[in-house]
Amino acid sequence: MNTYPYLITPHEPTKKQLWLAAFTSLLCHMQPEEAIKAADKSLELCDERWEHPQWIESWQYTHSYPVGHRFRHELPSNGKP
């Protein structure tokens, strides 16, 4: 999952890939039925966590960002796009 709002990459895993990775890693620790429920819960928690990612402070120059990127000072007062 992409954690930086300004980075867009085609190599970001899909939800299906994320669920499958969680499921296969959980199979080492529990029965398949329990692993399915735990993988579903982990995907739900990821969606909640990254629905509104937090802004980060960085020392990068504005010309390093893609064209069209909106910086914090250009956003409304609540800081969300």
Side-chain angles (χ1 to χ4, degrees):
M1 298 182 77
N2 194 350
T3 58
Y4 301 100
Y6 61 88
L7 290 178
I8 299 170
T9 174
H11 305 294
E12 187 174 316
T14 64
K15 285 186 178 186
K16 182 178 180 179
Q17 292 169 330
L18 184 64
W19 185 90
L20 189 58
F23 175 69
T24 53
S25 65
L26 288 165
L27 282 175
C28 298
H29 305 286
M30 54 186 68
Q31 295 298 318
E33 295 81 18
E34 295 171 347
I36 289 172
K37 291 177 185 174
D40 289 342
K41 182 66 176 173
S42 66
L43 190 61
E44 179 183 316
L45 291 172
C46 285
D47 285 342
E48 289 175 13
R49 171 66 176 97
W50 299 114
E51 184 176 347
H52 300 289
Q54 302 206 357
W55 288 93
I56 60 164
E57 298 293 332
S58 71
W59 290 96
Q60 295 184 0
Y61 296 104
T62 56
H63 65 264
S64 299
Y65 290 79
V67 174
H69 176 76
R70 295 184 65 194
F71 296 95
R72 184 178 297 175
H73 68 275
E74 299 173 338
L75 298 174
S77 61
N78 65 2
K80 295 182 180 177

